[in-house]
Amino acid sequence: MSKIIDTFIAPPCHDKVEILYQDEHLVLINKPTGLLSLSGKNPQNIDSVHHRLVQIFPGCTLVHRLDFGTSGLMVIARNKAINAALCQQFSQRTVTKVYSALLCGHLHDNEGVIDAAIAKDPALFPLMSICEIHGKPARSDYRVVERFYHELENGSLLPLTRVHLTPQTGRTHQLRIHCQLLGHPILGCDLYGGLISPGTEHTPRLMLHASELHFTHPVSGESIKASNASPFGT
């Protein structure tokens, strides 16, 4: 099997990691777009959510990750026991994650389900692929919030659909590739066809934001329903 070489160098991220809640067991944060969740092997990719937070909360660990371009809610464990308890909730799929996104074009249906297996292919790295034979099961729900037009600098109108996406599984790039499969990629997605035409205007960030995170506090047993408004509209 050919060795995968990651040549990506993350540009500097000057936005802060916003701490929304903290106790002695866990931390809830709002991750900015353009920041790695975990530091890369390349020393130029040292800056990350974990690298920053471990300076504040020694011994903290990531329970889950968000893609480099995705912003929004993450829960961080402050010790190994809490990490194990939260990871179990994620693996048992008792955690609910809701994302806000802007999709290119106008979706026909107001809601629906995308059920398509996703596979890794070293030949396509960093892209994932839809593959029912070799892929792992992947399922995402979507619900339309608004259909509208965005006026570009050249005066043309770009049709967009604001949606809420709820992944039932947690595959790499799941929401991005599932939206591409719908024929409506996420605006600003450089991997799965969400970039607007060159010369129209500056390509925006990846318009994907983790806006809700529901889980059970592993110590108190309290039902946590965290929400964080999307920076590009609800």
Side-chain angles (χ1 to χ4, degrees):
M1 182 178 291
S2 58
K3 186 178 180 181
I4 296 175
I5 299 175
D6 188 357
T7 58
F8 175 73
I9 302 296
C13 177
H14 302 294
D15 294 330
K16 294 182 178 180
V17 172
E18 183 183 3
I19 297 173
L20 304 174
Y21 169 84
Q22 67 180 85
D23 61 25
E24 59 186 307
H25 309 292
L26 55 84
V27 183
L28 272 171
I29 66 153
N30 178 30
K31 172 192 170 303
T33 183
L35 181 65
L36 294 167
S37 291
L38 200 61
S39 303
K41 293 181 180 179
N42 190 314
Q44 293 185 67
N45 289 336
I46 188 68
D47 190 25
S48 68
V49 169
H50 181 258
H51 179 73
R52 294 185 187 186
L53 288 183
V54 80
Q55 319 296 324
I56 309 170
F57 308 104
C60 73
T61 53
L62 297 192
V63 179
H64 61 123
R65 304 181 193 183
L66 291 178
D67 282 352
F68 172 74
T70 306
S71 58
L73 289 166
M74 292 180 68
V75 59
I76 314 296
R78 293 192 61 177
N79 60 61
K80 290 182 179 179
I82 297 301
N83 181 282
L86 287 171
C87 283
Q88 186 175 35
Q89 290 187 44
F90 275 88
S91 64
Q92 293 177 345
R93 300 180 186 174
T94 58
V95 177
T96 298
K97 295 174 284 183
V98 180
Y99 293 76
S100 301
L102 291 182
L103 305 190
C104 298
H106 285 168
L107 272 69
H108 179 267
D109 297 326
N110 288 329
E111 58 184 34
V113 178
I114 310 147
D115 200 341
I118 297 173
K120 288 184 178 180
D121 185 346
L124 297 175
F125 183 83
L127 294 175
M128 305 295 287
S129 62
I130 299 292
C131 182
E132 296 300 327
I133 299 174
H134 302 292
K136 294 182 179 180
R139 181 183 174 99
S140 308
D141 300 336
Y142 68 89
R143 180 174 62 84
V144 170
V145 176
E146 177 190 13
R147 297 176 181 87
F148 64 101
Y149 290 91
H150 172 67
E151 185 174 355
L152 301 175
E153 291 176 351
N154 63 3
S156 62
L157 297 177
L158 181 68
L160 296 172
T161 303
R162 193 182 309 279
V163 296
H164 285 168
L165 302 168
T166 307
Q168 301 300 331
T169 51
R171 310 303 175 201
T172 301
H173 296 174
Q174 177 173 318
L175 296 178
R176 297 166 76 174
I177 195 171
H178 273 179
C179 288
Q180 180 196 45
L181 186 65
L182 270 184
H184 298 277
I186 299 173
L187 181 64
C189 180
D190 57 342
L191 297 178
Y192 301 99
L195 299 183
I196 57 178
S197 302
T200 51
E201 64 176 23
H202 176 66
T203 300
R205 53 157 286 184
L206 176 67
M207 296 299 189
L208 182 63
H209 178 81
S211 53
E212 293 182 39
L213 188 62
H214 305 171
F215 62 96
T216 301
H217 194 291
V219 175
S220 70
E222 179 186 359
S223 178
I224 306 293
K225 294 186 176 180
S227 62
N228 185 260
S230 164
F232 46 84
T234 56

